[in-house]
């Protein structure tokens, strides 16, 4: 088949394949099976397409064909392609057959795929049901992906389309998964807004310490391409991420592969307690740091590590005990164990290049005004001139929570010695009323993003929407960054013309008297007492 397939067509076909599981298996679980099959099907279609081309070119020269195929982006050993599995779709042990094929596929591509399929069990009775039901569902899944609409040969569909289908499916799963979606998904328009605000450039190292399924990193790569002057610049960047959930990390890696971002370094582990992106014993530094970390994560660090009322060790002259954090991320103070928001923010700021790094974080509004240790950390960051902008977003943007969130932009070029050291204000933008109501949740439109980014870049007052605020004013407000303190969105009520209202009342009373007189006349005609 050489007919091109549209993005909408392939999205619809892939989503229809989910009918096998929908209503029977939780969306947070069946996403792994669908996305893995999409990945294997795409690799198999590319493999078959290239094999056919070499066969046509070299005829029966099997050795030459074999050498060419070994140089493919992913090597498919015999028996591991989607089509090998489809031929065995009626086997009584089809779940086990798929598991073995994925293990062989991973082993043959160890450098790229090590651990990607580790947590995906197609023979799971717990997730997929008893043997008879499991076999039926897997047979249906293989048949759904074998339909012509999901032929993903390069002659029909390019890599970008497949990558966007992958993200489309993740967004659909997030909608079905509800609160569990926060583990792996950031809505597309929020991701686009964040990367437009931090504006990564060619040559940048870009990092997400809580990368989920890597949608923010994908959008960051697109922003680099938008800023590029030539094709070489479009590929001149590096992506780094860390994800605590090994299954979600696998989704991230497949997502990046399907977008052609093969060289991204996505590590597995707890960023706050065991950061993986290091240079020697110190944190690696990045030009751009972005994240949508879990909101107000509890018990992020062991309380037993902390000493003293203000969480400092008296034996170190008030300094942070290095046993708590050997990477010196919490020198401004240790965030409370009950909320990790400032733990992530502190990690992100200290992971950015001194004097130039830019940071964008999606966070609950509590980070703007909560007191205690968080208030002290926030005050230090304001006094260090690190905070560049605070943007309030509408409620109901996430499938995982209905609360309104904010974006906070930090810029280390503002700190002492940086190119923007003279910057003395913080840009506040209240975009909480800018949204399009959707069926399940509110949506940001491109026009909303354009308005926010334009206000941020111009840094001029916009009535009831945006205002650059001097740091001295913020200090007078006790270093509270709550947006309504600085952007007055109150709209005065229209003035009432009392005289006009009085005339209207008199006229209504006249009409009422006339109506009563007519009614009395009708009653008298009917011989009724009035």
């Amino acid at each position: 088949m050489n007919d091109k397939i549209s993005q909408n067509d392939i999205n619809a076909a892939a989503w229809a394949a989910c009918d096998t599981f929908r209503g029977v298996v939780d969306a947070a679980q069946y996403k792994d099976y669908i996305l893995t099959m999409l990945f294997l099907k795409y690799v198999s279609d590319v493999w078959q397409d290239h094999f056919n081309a070499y066969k046509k070119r070299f005829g029966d020269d099997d050795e030459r064909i074999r050498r060419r195929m070994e140089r493919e982006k992913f090597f498919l050993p015999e028996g591991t392609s989607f089509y090998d599995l489809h031929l065995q779709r009626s086997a009584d042990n089809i779940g086990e057959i798929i598991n073995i094929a994925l293990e062989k596929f991973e082993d043959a591509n160890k450098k790229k795929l090590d651990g990607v399929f580790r947590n995906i069990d197609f023979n799971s009775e717990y997730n997929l049901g008893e043997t008879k039901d499991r076999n039926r569902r897997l047979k249906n899944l293989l048949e759904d992906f074998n339909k012509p609409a999901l032929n993903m040969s390069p002659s029909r569909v390019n890599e970008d389309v497949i990558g966007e289908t992958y993200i489309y499916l993740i967004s659909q799963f997030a909608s079905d998964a509800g609160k569990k979606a926060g583990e792996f998904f950031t809505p597309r328009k929020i991701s686009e807004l964040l990367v437009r605000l931090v504006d990564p450039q060619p040559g940048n190292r870009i990092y997400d310490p809580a990368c989920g399924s890597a949608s923010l990193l994908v959008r960051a790569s697109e922003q680099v391409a938008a800023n590029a002057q030539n094709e070489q610049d479009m590929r001149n960047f590096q992506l780094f991420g860390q994800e605590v959930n090994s299954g979600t990390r696998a989704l991230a890696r497949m997502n990046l592969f399907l977008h052609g971002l093969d060289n991204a370094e996505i590590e597995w582990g707890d960023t706050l307690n065991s950061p993986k992106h290091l240079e020697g014993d110190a944190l690696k530094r990045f030009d751009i740091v972005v994240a949508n970390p879990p909101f107000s994560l509890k018990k992020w660090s062991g309380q037993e590590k902390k000493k003293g009322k203000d969480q400092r060790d008296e034996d170190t002259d008030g300094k942070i005990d290095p046993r708590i954090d050997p990477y010196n991320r919490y020198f401004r103070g240790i965030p409370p164990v009950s909320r990790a928001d400032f733990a992530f923010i502190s990690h992100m700021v200290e992971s950015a290049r001194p004097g130039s790094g830019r940071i964008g974080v999606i966070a609950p509004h509590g980070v703007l005004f909560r007191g205690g240790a968080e208030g002290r950390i926030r005050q230090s960051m304001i006094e260090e001139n690190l905070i560049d902008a605070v943007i309030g977003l509408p409620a109901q943007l996430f499938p995982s929570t209905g609360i309104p969130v904010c974006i906070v932009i930090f810029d280390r070029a503002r700190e002492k010695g940086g190119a923007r050291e003279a910057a003395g204000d913080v840009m506040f933008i209240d975009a909480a009323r800018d949204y399009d109501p959707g069926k399940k949740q509110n949506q940001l439109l491109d026009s909303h993003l354009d308005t926010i980014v334009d206000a941020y870049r111009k840094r001029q007052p916009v009535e009831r929407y945006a205002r650059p605020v001097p740091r001295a004013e913020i200090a007078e407000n006790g270093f509270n960054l709550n947006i309504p303190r600085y952007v007055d969105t109150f709209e005065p009520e229209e003035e009432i013309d009392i005289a006009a209202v009085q005339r209207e009342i008199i006229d209504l009373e006249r009409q009422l008297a006339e109506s009563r007189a007519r009614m009395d006349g009708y009653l008298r005609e009917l011989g009724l007492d009035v």
Side-chain angles (χ1 to χ4, degrees), residues 175-467:
S175 180
D176 284 358
K179 290 188 176 181
K180 294 180 182 179
E183 297 177 6
F184 60 85
F185 179 68
T186 302
R188 176 174 184 138
K189 289 302 177 184
I190 301 178
S191 298
E192 289 182 3
L193 174 60
L194 186 59
V195 300
R196 286 180 64 182
L197 291 167
V198 295
D199 202 25
Q201 301 292 319
N204 281 175
R205 292 205 302 191
I206 305 162
Y207 171 51
D208 184 343
C211 70
S213 55
S215 60
L216 262 175
L217 291 175
V218 170
R219 299 305 164 211
S221 72
E222 292 173 347
Q223 187 63 27
V224 172
N227 289 327
Q229 299 297 315
N230 52 56
E231 192 169 330
Q232 184 176 352
D233 280 351
M234 292 175 67
R235 298 188 297 273
N236 183 17
F237 59 89
Q238 294 175 281
L239 300 179
F240 302 82
Q242 185 164 338
E243 170 55 40
V244 67
N245 184 301
S246 62
T248 304
R249 176 190 178 234
L251 298 184
R253 293 171 69 191
M254 285 190 281
N255 189 11
L256 292 163
F257 288 140
L258 289 174
H259 281 87
L261 302 169
D262 298 6
N263 295 321
E265 297 182 23
I266 307 298
E267 299 291 346
W268 173 36
D270 182 337
T271 297
L272 299 181
N273 292 289
S274 183
K276 302 297 185 183
H277 292 288
L278 305 173
E279 290 177 341
D281 295 328
L283 296 175
K284 184 176 287 189
R285 303 301 184 115
F286 304 92
D287 302 287
I288 299 291
V289 183
V290 291
N292 174 26
F295 296 162
S296 301
L297 181 68
K298 300 181 185 300
K299 299 181 181 179
W300 61 272
S301 182
Q303 273 186 307
E304 71 278 1
K305 294 181 179 178
K306 302 180 178 181
K307 295 183 179 182
K309 185 176 180 181
D310 67 349
Q311 302 169 328
R312 295 173 184 268
D313 190 334
E314 294 178 1
D315 297 333
T316 57
D317 297 324
K319 297 178 181 178
I320 300 301
D321 185 336
R323 291 172 297 173
I324 295 173
D325 179 48
Y327 308 105
N328 198 32
R329 293 171 291 183
Y330 309 132
F331 64 88
R332 301 177 185 90
I334 303 178
V337 175
S338 58
R339 290 186 294 267
D341 301 312
F342 267 101
F344 279 106
I345 290 172
S346 297
H347 172 82
M348 293 172 71
V349 170
E350 297 312 308
S351 295
R353 288 191 192 278
S356 64
R358 290 173 57 75
I359 305 102
V361 60
I362 301 165
H365 276 259
V367 303
L368 304 178
F369 57 79
R370 289 193 297 246
E374 292 178 298
R376 292 192 292 273
I377 298 169
R378 184 174 60 248
Q379 177 176 340
S380 293
M381 290 182 171
I382 294 169
E383 290 176 336
E384 293 170 45
N385 199 25
L386 292 173
I387 299 179
D388 195 46
V390 176
I391 298 107
L393 298 179
Q396 301 291 340
L397 290 179
F398 287 81
S400 53
T401 179
I403 66 170
V405 300
C406 63
I407 290 176
V408 185
I409 304 297
F410 300 80
D411 189 353
R412 296 201 64 170
R414 294 170 56 115
E415 65 189 356
K416 189 174 182 180
R420 295 185 63 207
E421 180 181 355
D425 58 22
V426 175
M427 190 66 194
F428 284 84
I429 300 173
D430 188 342
R433 295 163 295 172
D434 292 357
Y435 62 88
D436 185 57
K439 292 181 180 179
K440 292 187 177 181
Q441 62 196 65
N442 293 329
Q443 308 285 336
L444 292 176
L445 303 180
D446 288 337
S447 58
H448 299 137
L449 271 58
D450 291 342
T451 302
I452 293 170
V453 173
D454 186 62
Y456 170 65
R457 290 179 178 167
K458 288 182 177 177
R459 303 186 79 87
Q460 296 295 321
V462 180
E463 187 177 7
R464 291 193 293 276
Y465 186 76
R467 184 165 80 92

Side-chain angles (χ1 to χ4, degrees), residues 72-77 104-114 253:
E72 286 290 295
K73 181 177 176 180
F74 293 101
F75 179 75
L76 274 175
K104 288 177 65 178
F105 178 34
E106 182 177 313
D107 287 343
N109 300 271
K110 204 73 172 176
K111 188 174 180 180
K112 290 184 176 180
L113 298 180
D114 188 28
R253 293 171 69 191

